């Protein structure tokens, strides 16, 4: 989980647990899109996977909005995110909904993490 490497493990898990209490439905919704049912059952760290994906979406948004420089891998990363979330969706509204969930989970995680001592 490369996006989580910047966080101390204990504090990250505590923040994730606190976030999960309030955002259980959002985690469930994203996990159903990102992971197959078989993978979800076999993956004990699925919440970390969803959080890592959410942090990735937030980082990508910084590039999309011009807050950070475009990297060589930026187009591939954007396409990967959109393909993962857009699979079997029938409208841009459904895709935007999942992007918003991901982005908000990332922001809330970072705020909780920052407030923990």
């Amino acid at each position: 989980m490369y996006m989580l490497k910047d966080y101390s493990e204990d504090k990250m898990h505590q923040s994730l647990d606190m976030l999960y209490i309030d955002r259980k439905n959002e985690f469930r919704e994203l996990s159903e899109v990102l992971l197959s049912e078989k993978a979800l059952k076999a993956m004990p760290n699925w919440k970390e996977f969803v959080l890592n994906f959410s942090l990735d979406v937030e980082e990508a948004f910084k590039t999309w909005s011009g807050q950070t420089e475009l990297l060589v891998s930026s187009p591939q990363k954007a396409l990967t995110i959109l393909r993962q979330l857009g699979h079997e969706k029938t409208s841009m509204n459904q895709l935007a909904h999942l992007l918003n969930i991901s982005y908000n989970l990332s922001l809330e995680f970072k705020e909780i993490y920052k407030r923990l001592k």
Side-chain angles (χ1 to χ4, degrees):
M1 310 277 169
Y2 74 99
M3 294 298 288
L4 294 174
K5 71 180 179 348
D6 297 334
Y7 299 94
S8 73
E9 193 166 336
D10 290 340
K11 197 172 169 184
M12 182 271 298
H13 283 290
Q14 187 178 3
S15 301
L16 178 58
D17 290 342
M18 292 173 74
L19 178 62
Y20 185 71
I21 290 169
D22 290 335
R23 298 290 178 231
K24 190 179 295 187
N25 291 334
E26 287 85 348
F27 273 90
R28 180 192 46 78
E29 189 170 351
L30 282 174
S31 70
E32 288 173 355
V33 171
L34 297 172
L35 301 165
S36 68
E37 191 173 323
K38 183 179 178 182
L40 189 58
K41 289 179 181 176
M43 183 182 269
N45 61 340
W46 68 271
K47 290 184 272 190
E48 288 91 344
F49 181 85
V50 170
L51 176 60
N52 191 67
F53 180 85
S54 297
L55 292 166
D56 219 7
V57 168
E58 184 201 354
E59 192 65 31
F61 178 74
K62 290 176 185 176
T63 303
W64 302 341
S65 62
Q67 296 173 37
T68 59
E69 292 295 316
L70 189 66
L71 302 174
V72 173
S73 62
S74 295
Q76 183 65 34
K77 185 177 187 178
L79 182 58
T80 301
I81 289 170
L82 294 175
R83 285 186 58 107
Q84 284 179 304
L85 292 180
H87 184 69
E88 296 185 357
K89 299 298 173 269
T90 57
S91 73
M92 284 296 291
N93 287 336
Q94 292 173 336
L95 178 59
H97 172 70
L98 293 171
L99 285 168
N100 284 330
I101 289 173
S102 299
Y103 183 78
N104 289 332
L105 283 178
S106 177
L107 292 180
E108 288 181 37
F109 168 77
K110 286 181 175 182
E111 188 61 35
I112 292 169
Y113 186 89
K114 187 171 67 174
R115 290 180 182 197
L116 287 178
K117 295 185 181 201

